Amino acid sequence: MSPTDREHLAIIQARAMLQESGVWSVEDDLSCLVDRFIERANKKRALEEFMLAVQERCNRIPLGHVIGTVDFDDMPLVVGSGVFIPRPHSRIIHKWIQSSAELRPDSKVLDLCAGIGAIGLGIARRRPDFNVTCIEFDPLAVQYLRRNIDRLSYKGVQASCLQADIRDEQAFAHFTHQIDLIVTNPPYVPQAQELLPEWREHHPQSSVYSGADGLELIRQIISLADQALVRDGWLVMEHGDGQAEAVRELFRRSYLTDIQTVIDEDESDASGNSVMTIGRKPQ
Ligand SMILES: C[S@@+](CC[C@H](N)C(=O)[O-])C[C@H]1O[C@@H](n2cnc3c(N)ncnc32)[C@H](O)[C@@H]1O
């Protein structure tokens, strides 16, 4: 059997294994895995690694953890076991920023619960005039965040990183009334909610869950934003599919105005809808 025949057979086998495992985008995953592990010079070694990777994906290890990178908004970001993998859903925030005429040039931006930095770095890439700080508390995520900030500085993307817990108001004192825009994709899943194994078993609990109703950190962020935002400043928050009404109610009961929820069908997939709620601090 020729090497090409062996690859062809391996890919057929991998497709069947992925289908059997229950992952939701077999062809996308397969094409990434083929690209990463088969298009390589040492074919024997590559095939072996390819099948090991397919095996891991079939064990529901998230694709980003298997291949070690994720392409997000045209940025190749590094990821690894123990940190949250950015989801395409978050591009809803970038699209809003791209189309929003109301953001001041040179805006000061905080990305709260930044993980490995996908949202903040995407903003910094699109708006080099903005001053973006990515804030994350988990030491491992902060390592990846710093790596990604360093990597993308090669492409001229500039952002900074602060390790802080959003429950620690003191850590945010120096941002008081300084910030034009807060973006965030915080943990928002209710503690008892069943999740796919990718998130239930292979993501840190603190990156996914947020108290009994899933809103614990969202409440904290609304309160923090009140302290940090300038008048007219924006709070832009991703959240779960079923939480729009609850989040709008929390926004309404706080100081925020101009509240709206946006759903982006194009960035939604079988793992959930892309949804965010926006509010503005009044004049
Ligand atoms: C859902 S993940 C999102 C990460 C990133 N925003 C993204 O979209 O890829 C939530 C992140 O919040 C971080 N986090 C959880 N609790 C936090 C806290 N109290 N303070 C700061 N970060 C926190 C987690 O470590 C995790 O990286």
Side-chain angles (χ1 to χ4, degrees):
M1 194 189 288
S2 75
T4 320
D5 285 342
R6 277 204 296 276
E7 279 173 18
H8 187 63
L9 276 183
I11 292 169
I12 291 173
Q13 187 188 350
R15 180 178 288 110
M17 287 166 72
L18 288 164
Q19 277 161 348
E20 172 71 22
S21 76
V23 301
W24 60 89
S25 54
V26 170
E27 289 308 321
D28 285 352
D29 283 12
L30 186 59
S31 122
C32 276
L33 291 164
V34 168
D35 185 57
R36 166 70 178 79
F37 293 105
I38 292 197
E39 309 289 345
R40 287 173 35 158
N42 182 341
K43 288 294 176 191
K44 187 165 176 290
R45 179 70 194 268
L47 264 187
E48 202 175 283
E49 286 188 13
F50 169 66
M51 293 312 294
L52 290 172
V54 170
Q55 175 67 28
E56 281 212 285
R57 186 67 191 100
C58 290
N59 288 336
R60 308 302 296 267
I61 308 294
L63 184 66
H65 292 165
V66 176
I67 62 180
T69 60
V70 60
D71 273 330
F72 184 90
D73 203 35
D74 282 338
M75 300 179 300
L77 301 171
V78 284
V79 289
S81 289
V83 298
F84 187 89
I85 301 174
R87 303 165 75 209
H89 307 66
S90 298
R91 282 172 33 85
I92 192 173
I93 295 181
H94 295 134
K95 289 182 184 172
W96 179 79
I97 284 167
Q98 193 92 356
S99 65
S100 174
E102 305 193 60
L103 291 169
R104 286 187 261 274
D106 304 318
S107 284
K108 290 198 176 82
V109 183
L110 298 184
D111 176 6
L112 298 181
C113 298
I116 66 157
I119 297 174
L121 283 165
I123 294 171
R125 182 178 78 80
R126 283 157 187 265
R127 293 296 306 254
D129 60 312
F130 284 9
N131 177 330
V132 178
T133 304
C134 300
I135 299 179
E136 167 61 48
F137 84 148
D138 177 66
L140 184 59
V142 169
Q143 279 188 33
Y144 279 97
L145 176 55
R146 294 208 163 107
R147 262 179 84 184
N148 283 315
I149 289 174
D150 286 348
R151 271 163 70 87
L152 288 173
S153 66
Y154 169 76
K155 287 165 73 95
V157 179
Q158 298 295 331
S160 50
C161 165
L162 174 68
Q163 181 167 7
D165 188 323
I166 59 163
R167 293 163 298 192
D168 174 8
E169 290 195 3
Q170 273 309 318
F172 289 82
H174 61 290
F175 292 120
T176 300
H177 307 322
Q178 297 292 313
I179 302 301
D180 301 288
L181 168 66
I182 291 180
V183 293
T184 182
N185 175 26
Y188 53 67
V189 178
Q191 205 62 49
Q193 187 172 318
E194 265 302 307
L195 292 175
L196 292 168
E198 281 81 354
W199 288 278
R200 189 184 65 232
E201 290 167 27
H202 301 295
H203 274 80
Q205 301 266 304
S206 61
S207 74
V208 174
Y209 295 103
S210 183
D213 61 1
L215 300 171
E216 213 165 81
L217 285 163
I218 288 179
R219 287 189 194 90
Q220 181 60 37
I221 288 169
I222 293 170
S223 149
L224 189 61
D226 187 20
Q227 176 194 331
L229 285 175
V230 296
R231 292 183 195 283
D232 257 358
W234 292 94
L235 173 60
V236 177
M237 179 182 288
E238 250 189 280
H239 51 75
D241 265 350
Q243 291 174 318
E245 186 46 50
V247 171
R248 275 199 304 273
E249 181 58 20
L250 287 176
F251 275 35
R252 265 195 297 269
R253 277 199 260 134
S254 71
Y255 51 94
L256 291 161
T257 60
D258 297 350
I259 298 162
Q260 53 166 317
T261 296
V262 182
I263 296 176
D264 186 336
E265 304 285 347
D266 292 339
E267 305 299 346
S268 302
D269 63 21
S271 70
N273 273 334
S274 166
V275 49
M276 68 177 182
T277 294
I278 298 166
R280 190 175 207 176
K281 190 166 171 174
Q283 273 282 2

